[in-house]
Each structure stands twice: as structure tokens, then as C-alpha cells.
Amino acid sequence: MMILLPALLIIWVEAAQCLEEDGTFNLKGDIRHFAVDNGTVYIATEEMLYQLNHDLTLVRSLTQRGFLAHIPGKSEPKLNRSSDTMNVTFSVNMLLPHAAEENVIACGVFESGCGYCELLDLKNISNVLYWEQIEVGSLWRSSASVSLLVSVETRTRAETYILTAVQQYKVAPTKSGRGCPSVSDAVNLRNTNNNQAGLIFSINSQDIGPAIKSEDDVEFVDGFQINSIIYLFSNLPAKDRGNKVRLLWLEGRGGKHQTLKSLRGATLSVSDGEKGLRLISSSVIPGGPPVLWSGVFSVDGGQTNTELVLFDISPDFTVEKDMDRDFSADSHKSDASKLPMPKTLKPKKVIFKQNYMTSVLAVRQKNWMVFFIGTGDGQLIKLAVDHNYKTTCPRVLRKTSGDRKVFQTLHLDQVDLKHVYVPFQNQINRVPVSECSKYETLQNCWSAQDPYCVWCSSEKSCTFEDDCKNSDWLSIPDDSQQKMVSYKVKQENTGQITLTIQMHLSVGNSALSNFTCQFSTSSREHFKMKNPQLHFPQCTFILENTTLPAEGLPIELKVRLGTTELLERLNLLNCTKIRGQPTSVLCRQCIDAGCGWTTDGCSWANKGEGNDSVCQMMDPRMNFSRPQISSITPSVVSFYGRNNAVLKGLYLSSVTRVRIRADMDCTPKEFPVWDNTGENLTFHIPSAEKGVVKVCLLLPDGSCHGSANITYRSAPSCTGILPNSTWISGKRNLTLMGSHLELVEAIKHSEVPQEVRLPSYKTYQALQNLTYNSPAAENIHRTFLSTLSLKVANETLACTTTITYYPDPEFTRFSSIRTGDDVHITIQKKADKLEMSKAELSVWGIDEGKRHRCIIDEIETKFFTCEIQNTRITTFRELEIKYGDKTINLKSTLHLYLLMLLVLLLIPCIIVAVVIIYRSKQKKFTEKMNRVMEDLELDIRNDIRQGFVDLQTERADLMENVGAIPFLDYKHFASRIFFPENETLMKLCIKDIGQDAVKVQLDESCKGLSRLIQDQLFLTSMVHALEEQKSFTIKDKCVLASLLTVALHNNLSYLTDVMEALLKALMHQNSNTQPKLLLRRTESTVEKLLTNWMSICLYGFLRETVGQHLFLMVSALTQQTAKGPVDCVTEKALYTLSEDWLLWQAQDFTSLKLKVLFAVGSDGEVSEPLEVNALSCDSVEQVKEKILSTFKAKFGFPYITPLRGVCVEFEKDGSFVPLEEVDATSEVIGEVTMLNTLKHYKVPDGATIKVLSKKTHPPLSPQGSLKDDENFSGKYFHLIDPDVVEDQRKSPERKKLKLKEVHLTKLLSTKVAVHSFVENLFRSIWGMPHCRAPHAVKFFFDFLDTQADNMKITDPDVLHIWKTNSLPLRFWINILKNPQFVFDMETTPNLNCCLSVIAQAFMDSFSLSETQLGKYAPTNKLLYAKDIPKYKQEVKVYYKQIRDQPLITASEFKDFLLEESKKHENEFNETAALRELYKFIQRYFTEIKEKLDQNGAPAELIEQLHEVKHLFDGLKSCSWN
């Protein structure tokens, strides 16, 4: 058992992986049956039996393979399922969940043809309750049979039986089983349990052997029971007469025999004279009476021409029982030909015509019927039909890429009623019945004509009705309509005009209770209006003394339904004034104006026809010939469409557009034409769903003529290619294998620039193999793998197929031998993996300019042979070899032997010459090496001298006037300090713009919690209780501190008291261990609380005193960095403070001044030039950044177009050349591409650059930012060469030796440039304006002094460390390293590293320890090594001045805190913070209550806590829950 459990677990885990994210479950083996019951899906395939939850997650699966084993004490052998030992496969032909008996009935056959049945546990199919070797249902593995559970009323009670309707054969198929009886009856009733007479699965009851028989071939399609009536549907195929579709009625009363004897029947007929009618799938429509039923019929006996037809199949009890010609329950019945013909049922409506329909499911939604239709090419179509049987526009809910047939049966998910189970061959999908949420406006939601969707006014969204929280909703009416609001204009005999507005809507009760109509116009002198008459769905306005102007009276209609307001703009026209030739165009204009059409033209609505169907019957009056369509090439396309289709015909010159209408299009689509010669024209075939569309040609008068069809099929796909390799020069004949390859327009090989365009075929022919010549891979001389993709219309479809490109075959030499009249030639070649065939090689022998064909015998890896037959020539000195598109001439090797002899004679001479040349070369090489070393020494000297010059001449000449400083407002500054890693809470706890001044009233629950946390005993107990929990992480502690800060921001005095109490507790906790570690890290709630408190209290000091110096320092660093090269890929810079980010590999560069013009408008106008400083080594992206930065600094506001929307051009020789990051001229080293620079484009100093917007001036090769590429740093480089061994002779400057240590002076240069800014910043922080420290600093330092005295701490170093940990480390370091917390700005990795170096120097200034620095010390320590001692002295003076400053009184500090609270009142969302805070209380409620009890909390406080819990638990619909 212990071994079996892990095995089962592995099977379960593997199967669970079959469920994909889109609600698809992959099955092992082809599906045979599937059933749904009580939220569980049961599926039988050829190999497995599955039990799934309603969401298609796997519960259990069983293999259907194993062996038959005899169980002791059992007479019947049992199927032992096993994947290892197996000799039988159980093919399920019947799968019936029986909820009343809590089992699943599974019956079928083994390969032997013998039947077998099992009862499986309904909740656990691996539990087999009963088994028996018996024939129930069909014994054929492939059979058109039906099984269902039916309820039959007997004398005592209702019994449930299995009704089996088995396919009948006049000549039964051969069966391999021996000793297995065959059931020949068409319809039987079998027992479902052992309590019924005759035991389980028995046919017999108190009556003997009841059954329904048939003499003809019968295929059963469907069956179901409504009340006591059982309905069975079958096909009766016949060769000599037309196929029949039969309906049988049985009454489930009186027992098995009486039920089968109650047989009545009818024949279903779709149209007169049909001969190929065949039922494919069916579904009863819920509701009734009458009993409405829908069936998918093949009207020609095949699978292509299918129709969905609606019938009323209510049973006709006037027909005599058991008197049917085709079926009989009486074995002694007389000649069937003498019986009356069955009644014929005619359809109520042919609802839908579509090729390849395979399945249908009908459901009721309000007063609509909704049909879900599966097709043979892998589509699920939804069709809504109103109570008048008028259909809406069909919609495709799911579409597969290939022609995967949908299984015959569809089921609805009975749990949520919002999904349909759609089975395919070896897969089942769970598809939503609607996609309401994709309709974003009321109009779109209504136009979808989806009975499932309503517009929920409270949510302002399209959703399911039960997802709308109240009844304030709008949806489509009970009948199909074209417009949401229509109107009619009538004129009475009195002359008054009546305007009737009709709303085509269904509404909820809340919406209906607030129904108003308002009518307004800008021109009131034309009419006098009575009060409107309101009676939903109509508003009626009566206009008296009205004269409608000729151009019409524009009016604005406002209709309010609940909280939704509809706005309609109408133009009232005088109907009698709409005149012209009586064409369909004029007729539609009349109807659209709310008028009526008569034989005399347009009139008032009450005097004519108001339906536009009258316009469709009018003949257009044409002044030109009717165009005719002869052909469309191609006429079969994929569902992606086709570009540049050619239409041929007659009289095409007047055609303006092509109109295309599909079966599933409610409105036709029109497309422009071009290259119209009168006999040919070109147009694009658009994408569409699979199926057939009709094409006609549109004329200027709106009429459409001609008729042709375009067939949409599945997209092409590829499965393999032969051969799977080619040579680099291309033109190898390849055969691509797949499906629908005739629809491919072009084939693309990755890494190869050219694509192979394929010809369009005049006549359609399905292709599974496509032959084409491989494209050449130019400028590539290596082996590489290329992936194929297919181009169809505007889509590129990826293939899994790959092909390998090898270098061209290389032929080295040949030899020829004469044998009789023939010459046998052997051609040597280098070994390759091309595996060339005889057909791919052509060889000719060349003699005196004449070619002699050489017939190839065999081809090996290193040679091949051929033979020139019947020739007098004894030897050939030259061969011509052709493969693909390449021809090679190969010379004979005979003369080589003579040449070798000559070489042997010359060897002594050559050796002497080589020695002389070697000595000469060695001398030259030594001289060259000396020159190289001198040059190298000179380069290093120049680098060192330049570094020395930069160091000595570097001045702080950086721009100090930076304009307005972009300070963040207080609430955004505070929220970034409070929640640095939680953007959701950051946004949640601050108010939007416009809400700051609004004081939001708290609800009762939040008021109660607010009062509760104002109790210090409760708050400190709660904090201690939470911190004692192991599951309460450091992150939770920080969030808790920040939520308390927000919730108590209006009472900073109380927050300070709480912080003091918690700090005292923390100090006593750490006093016995290591007091110097206090406040060093943020590991407790109070430490984060202190950070927040300091940020609040020091914000004014930060903004008024320190902020300007901080911004100037950051700006100085940014400007200094921009003075030198910055690598665009690694972001390393020549000017930096961090050795790790030093760009020591930078090449030589020059400074450039560019004249930048900005494009103004779309007529080519440009602005005045702007001077921008740049470097020759800047990439194009860096140039754009510098241009936009200079623009902002110059004008004080950013350029209107963001960086990604900008492109730049360089003026060269009077024209502008686009500058791009990467283009065809980019330098490539190995497989890494260098980013283009100004030096690459040879942009000189003073050059003119034009800035354009991509929207108005799109580049020739549009591309996004290269940095969006995930492998950006692997594919591209800028200033740092990639680690690739490459010949760099093209760029000799790269060969210059660069040493990192030589460039370390750049760190010092940068430090010198920004040093004054850094010192000003430091001194603004520890300076003492007006000889007074900020109130918070003085107050807190005094608090620390007091606590040290109380704890008898005499070591002055401990107090110094406490103060350092609480102020510089906890607050100032955070600000120095994150200027984006204070300013509206973005930082770069290089800037962050520079700030980290400065922050380290700042922190070292507060350190008490002396650090000994040597030559191997970190450079960031060495940079400020001489400055730190001076700063330490200043810090000591700062701490002493604070200590010597007079004490701040309690009332003075309280006034300060009160002023800070009022200054930022109502800037935070206190309600959101309290609700988030309650989540912690809710999670640890028991622990908090226990801590309160330990601390002796009064009963009133605990009662108050319970009251708050009660209030919050009652808020079921709060957004935070």
C-alpha cells in the first residue's frame, strides 16, 4: 500500500499538468463519451477514464487497460487496471452518472467483442462497486447508439431504467468474439439496481423480454426525457430511397412493457423533395410547452451542407400506439407496408446555415434562446434567437488554428451556468458563454445583442446580471432590434406633430423607477410643446403650431433610466419634403428620418410603411451597366485573409468598392479597389471566421451586383521538411509538409534576408506537400540553424520546423578512367552533412569547349562517381558541376604531378631563399616591435599626463542655476518614506488631487478602531503581542508602524508618547546585552516608527535648509558625468566616484556643439536652433536624451514628445539622414552589434540635427527601444568591446592598451568637481541655523540623554552611537541615497553608486573608530580619507551644541507637533489605513486579547475591542474585504 500511494500520486500529478491556463484539459486517447452531473465531468477515452471538477481540474483518472482476473468468491472475472501487465482494453460505449444511486454506470466491450459493465463510485471512480461481464448497449467499438437513464412510473413507485437504443444493421459487421451473445433489438430497458425484478442490467421484468425492433438499418442520434415522455431521434439510411430522420415518443408509465408498447412516431422533414436529410446532433430547448427542439441536419447526406433547424416536437397522442412502419414493439405484427405512413413534422424555422456543423447545445436566457454550435473546423459559434425566431449576429466564442472537429455532444457547466464544455478529439475546453467585460460602453454592450450581458450602471461596466449588485441595469429587449433608441414622426389631421421615442431596452427595477425624458433644441421659435407622456419604453412629445425648417430641426433628447443617462441627437425633418427619384437610397433616408414610405414617396410615419424591408425590394435606377464577376484569384484563403486578390469580370469600371458578407456577419463589410481596368481589379481579402462569404460589387448609387464566393479555411501549418538541410548559396529543392499549404503566400527562413514568394494558383488545390527552392544566406559563411515561418496576408506564422544551412559543397579534384566505350569519373569532395541526391547534381565533361553529360552512379560522403557513355575521348581535363543555382568548373589533377616534380627540384633553392627572407623579416619585425612598444609607452604617458592635467585644472564650473527645484509635496514624500517597497499601500494611504481639502467622515467601524488605538495601553499591548508572533515578519512590522503613523498623523503628540513608551521598552530589553546595537537596524515596529517620526518632523528643515544643497549636489554629479563618455549598455562612466562603475576602457573622444532644430507642424517648418553639447562617442539614444535635457533646462518645461516618440536626423550634403541606434551599417564583432555613435555617422562639430516626432514623421524602419530587448546587453555593445576573438584591423584604435589604474585619477577629478557641493550639503545638515537645532532633533537627543542617565550608562560612546543611529543613519542616509524620495526625478545606476560613496563618507564622519588605510584600501574610502577627520570634528561640535542648547519645554514641543499635524491635515486616507490595520488585529485577535489580559487591561477596553470586531465583521461589502 505504501508503494502504491506514491505511484498513484505521480499519476495524479502528471495528469494534473494536462489542464492549461485557458480552461483546456488534454486527454490521453480519443474521446468516446463524456457526461456531466452534480458539478463533476466524467470522460471516457480510448485509453483512460477521467473524473474532473466543474472547472476541469483533475480529481482522478483510471487507465482502461489491464487484464481480467478471477476474484475468489466471485463468479465474474474483474478488470484489473494496470499499465504494465495488460492484455485487454475496455472501450466504453455507455457512460451514465446515476446521482440517486451515487454511482456511474460504465458499459462497453473488450477487443474480443464481449460486453462488460461496471458501477463506479460517483465521487471516486477508482472505487469499483460492482462488475459483470454482460452486453448492455452496443457491442461495436464504433456505433451510432444512444443510452440514457429514464424514469418509468409503475404501480407502486417510479423506477429508473437504462434505455439503450442500439444501432441496427441489415448485415451486421464481423465480430471476433466467440460465445458472446449479440443483442439485436433496437430499443431496450434495463435495470439499474438489484432491487428491481430480474436484478441489475436485466431486460426482463414481470413482462417477458420487452423490446422495440427494426428491420432496417438504424442510426440513433439523441434521446432525452421530459416529464414522462421519452424522445428518441434516429436516422434511417436507405440506398433505394431518400434517408429519413425519425422521432419516436414513448410514455414512461406502467412498467417496461407498457412503456415500449406506447411507441408513437413521426418523420422530420426540412424541405419538400429532400433525399439526403440526415440528423447530426440535437438539443432540446428548455421551457415549454410547446416542446421546442433544435437539430443540426445535413441536407445532402454529407458533412458539408448543414443547417440548424427548429421544430415543435410536442407528442401527438392522436396517433395510434405501436403502429409504426419502421419500429415495432410487437414481434407478431403484420406486414409493415400496410401500416399508415408516420406523421410528418415541418420546421418552425431554419435558424442558421453553416458548413460543417457537428454539434449544438440550446439554453434559455430570459426570453431568448441561445444556441452554442460546434463545427468540424474547430469553431464554437454562439447564436441568440428571440421569441419571434429572429436571429442576432452569430459570434465565434472559440476558434482553433487547425481543422479540429468538435465532438457531437456539448454540455453546460451546471455549477455557474456561465461556461460550455466543448470536446475535441483528445481535448476538452471550458469556454465562457459570454465575454461581457470586453464591451466597455453602454452602446457596445447593447450592440453585442447578448442576452447574458447587462449594463450595470453602478459599476459602469458590461457584466452578467447576477454580477450587478443592484437592479440598476439595462440590457437588450426580448426581441432583436437594430437601434437602442428609435423614433417616429406623425402628423395628425389637426396639423400637430407627434414625436414618439421608443427605447429598445429591458431594465431592472431600480432603473425603471427613475425614468425621465427631456427634449431640448437651440431653436424654440418653431414649435410649442405639451408636457411629454412617459410610459416605458415610450416617450411621446406633441408639438403644436410647428413648422419644421427645410434643413430639419436639430433636437437633443436626454433619457434617464436609474443612474444612466442616454443622449440622442435627432434631426426632425418634414417627411413630405424628402423628395427625389424613388430609389432604395431615398427610401432608407426616409425610414431613418422616422417617416413612412408609400408608393408616392416619403410621407409621415402614420401614413406609410416604417420598416426598411420595403426599401430592399426596390430596384435601383442605374445609369450604367451591371458589373459581373467571372472569377476571384484566389477564391480559397485562410481566416487571416489575403492581400492583392485579383477579381476578373465585365463592366467593372464603375465599381467603387467590394462588399463581402459572411453567414455570420450581421452587416456586410466594404473594401476599396485599385488597378481597375474595367475587366480586372485588385482588392484585399480581409480576415474573417472560417466559412464561405459572398462577394458583390458596389456602385456609386449604393446598389451591389454580381455574385461570387470566397471560402475561408484554417491557417496553414507545417510539420516537417525534406531534406532538412541546404547549402548557403541556396536554390536547393525542398519539400515542406503540413496542412493547407496552398494558402501560403511566402516562406521566410530566419537569419536569411530574402523570403520565398510563392505563386498564386488559378484553381484551388489542397496541398499537404509544398515544393520550393531554399533562399540564399548572403554574407554568412558558417553553419547555422534556421527556423521556418509562413507568411499569410499580414500575419507571420511560426513553424516548429527548422533547417540547417551548411557551407556549399567543396569539390577538390577528379580522376577519369576509360572502360570500354565509356569514361568513368571519380570526383573527390570534402566531407559534409548535406546528403545530396543524384537529382541535385549535374556533371558534364568539357573537351574542346563541348559538353558531355556524365550520368551519376553513386554519391558518398567524400566522393561521387559518374559515367560518360559512348565517347571517343579518353580523358577529360575539365568538369562542369552544377548544383542548385551554382556552377563550378573543376580542372584535372594530371598536371599536378608534373608540378610536384618541378617543386622537388626547386626545394633547395626555396630553402636558401626562405633563410634570407626570414632573417630580413626578423630584423624588420624587431624594429616594428620596438616602434609598437614606444607607441604604447607614449600612449600610457599621454593618459597619465592627461589625468594629471584634468586633476590640476578641474574646477567646480558646473551650472549652479538649476531653476525651480522639483520638490515633491509632503504627502508623496511621506508615503515614499512610509512604504518604500509597497506601491499599493503607498497609493492607498494618500488622497488624490482635489480630495486633500475634503474631510472624509469615518464609518462606525473605523471610528471605533480610531478610538481604540487612541488608548496607549491597548496600542502598546497590541504592538508587543504582534511582535511576539513568529509569523509576524520584519516587513509586517514596518507596515504596521507606517499604518499607525498614517492613522495617528492628526495626533502627533500622542504618536510621540507611544513611540517613547515603545522605545523605553526596547532599551530595557537590550540593556543587558549590547546597548551599542540599539537602533542600528530596523528590526522592530518602534524603529520604523522612529524613521517615520523623524521624516515628519524634519520635512520643513529638509525643504527649507537642506533641499537646495542636495539638489545642487545631485545636479552637479549628473553634469559632471555627462562631460565624459557613458557606456549605453553597462551604464559605466568615465567621470564617476565609484571604481566599480569607472569606464576605463573608453576610447578617444571629442566634444561637439550641435545646432538642433525642432520640427514644427507637418509642413516641414522648424524652430530656431538650440545649441546642445554632445560627445563624438555618444549613442543616438544618448544624443536624444541630451537634446531633451537641454530643451528642458533652457525653457523650463519638457519637450512635448517623450523620448521614445522622438527620432533625429543629421543634415549631410543638403539632405537629412536619419540617425538610428542600429542599422545596416552598424559594426558587428562576432554576433554582437555595436550601437551607432555620432562618430560612426561622421557628425562634425557644429552640425545641424533635426528633431522629429515619430507620430507625424514615422521612420523608414520603425522599431521600439533596443533596451526593451531582454538580451540587450548580450546582443549589443557601445564603448566596451565584447569578449570576442575578432580581427580588429578595421578599428586600430581599439588595439590601444588601456589600464584601469591609469584612469583612477578620474575618480579624483569627479570628487574635485563636486566637492564644494558635497561640503555645502554636509554643513547644511549639521549646521545650526540661528544657533538652534530642529525641535525634533533637540527633543529626541534630550530623550536619549535622559534614558542613558536612567539606565546608569556612563560610556559617552554609547550615547554618541545612539544619536548617530537615530538621526544620520536612520534619516539622512535614506535621503542622501534616495533623492527621488524628495524630488520629482529619476536616478541612474551610476548616480546611485556615486551617492552611495558620498553617503559612506557622510556616515564615516559620525564614526568613532579610526580606520587605517593602505594602498589596497577601497577607493571610495581613499577618496575622502583626508576630509573625514575634519568632518568628525565638526560633528562633535554639532553634538555638543545640541547638548548645550536650552531645553525645549513640553508645551513648546507639543505646539510644534500640533502645528505639523494641522499643516498636513486631511492629506492621508485615514480610513484606508485603519482598515488595513484591522487586518492585523483580525489575524492575531486571540493573541492581542491575551496580551491585554496579561497587562491587566480594564473590561471596558476588552469590550471595546470586541465591539470593533463586531462592526468590521458586519461590513460584508467593503472594498477592503
Side-chain angles (χ1 to χ4, degrees), residues 138 366 427 482 761 796 815 898 958 1060 1077 1089 1293:
S138 175
K366 300 178 183 176
Q427 185 186 81
Q482 297 298 317
Y761 304 97
T796 300
S815 60
L898 299 174
L958 301 170
E1060 287 182 354
L1077 296 179
L1089 200 59
E1293 69 275 5

Side-chain angles (χ1 to χ4, degrees), residues 537-582:
Q538 283 189 350
C539 306
T540 304
F541 300 92
I542 298 176
L543 313 180
E544 296 180 333
N545 303 323
T546 303
T547 304
L548 296 176
E551 69 277 8
L553 177 65
I555 65 171
E556 190 175 82
L557 176 70
K558 290 183 180 178
V559 180
R560 176 173 288 278
L561 284 161
T563 58
T564 301
E565 187 175 271
L566 307 178
L567 181 65
E568 289 284 332
R569 289 182 173 85
L570 313 176
N571 189 28
L572 293 187
L573 295 169
N574 187 332
C575 297
T576 59
K577 301 293 185 182
I578 300 175
R579 289 283 177 261
Q581 284 190 348

Side-chain angles (χ1 to χ4, degrees), residues 900-962:
M900 287 175 63
L901 184 62
L902 181 63
V903 167
L904 289 173
L905 296 174
L906 291 175
I907 284 176
C909 302
I910 292 172
I911 291 174
V912 173
V914 165
V915 169
I916 297 171
I917 293 171
Y918 172 74
R919 288 185 175 179
S920 174
K921 289 284 185 182
Q922 188 178 33
K923 184 177 180 181
K924 290 181 180 179
F925 179 74
T926 303
E927 293 173 354
K928 181 179 179 182
M929 284 302 298
N930 290 335
R931 286 198 302 271
V932 169
M933 292 303 294
E934 289 174 3
D935 292 342
L936 187 60
E937 184 180 353
L938 182 62
D939 287 340
I940 295 176
R941 280 177 182 168
N942 289 338
D943 284 342
I944 295 173
R945 178 173 291 277
Q946 185 61 46
F948 177 76
V949 170
D950 289 348
L951 189 58
Q952 297 302 319
T953 60
E954 188 68 62
R955 292 178 293 111
D957 58 351
L958 301 170
M959 179 177 64
E960 294 194 24
N961 182 18
V962 292

Side-chain angles (χ1 to χ4, degrees), residues 230-234 245-249 264-268 312-314 324 345:
I230 301 166
Y231 302 79
L232 282 174
F233 298 88
S234 61
V245 178
R246 295 298 317 278
L247 162 63
L248 301 181
W249 293 294
R264 295 182 176 91
T267 301
L268 303 182
D312 179 353
I313 59 168
S314 302
D324 195 270
L345 296 182

Side-chain angles (χ1 to χ4, degrees), residues 813-819 822-827 854 866 868 873-879 892-894:
R813 54 195 175 86
F814 74 91
S815 60
S816 58
I817 300 174
R818 185 173 182 85
T819 54
D822 305 330
V823 175
H824 190 81
I825 298 176
T826 301
I827 304 168
C854 192
C866 67
I868 300 177
I873 302 168
T874 55
T875 58
F876 287 88
R877 296 188 177 182
E878 184 179 357
L879 292 184
S892 171
T893 58
L894 181 63

Side-chain angles (χ1 to χ4, degrees), residues 672-688:
V673 302
W674 61 92
D675 295 343
N676 189 341
T677 64
E679 295 181 351
N680 299 310
L681 57 83
T682 307
F683 70 104
H684 289 327
I685 300 176
S687 59

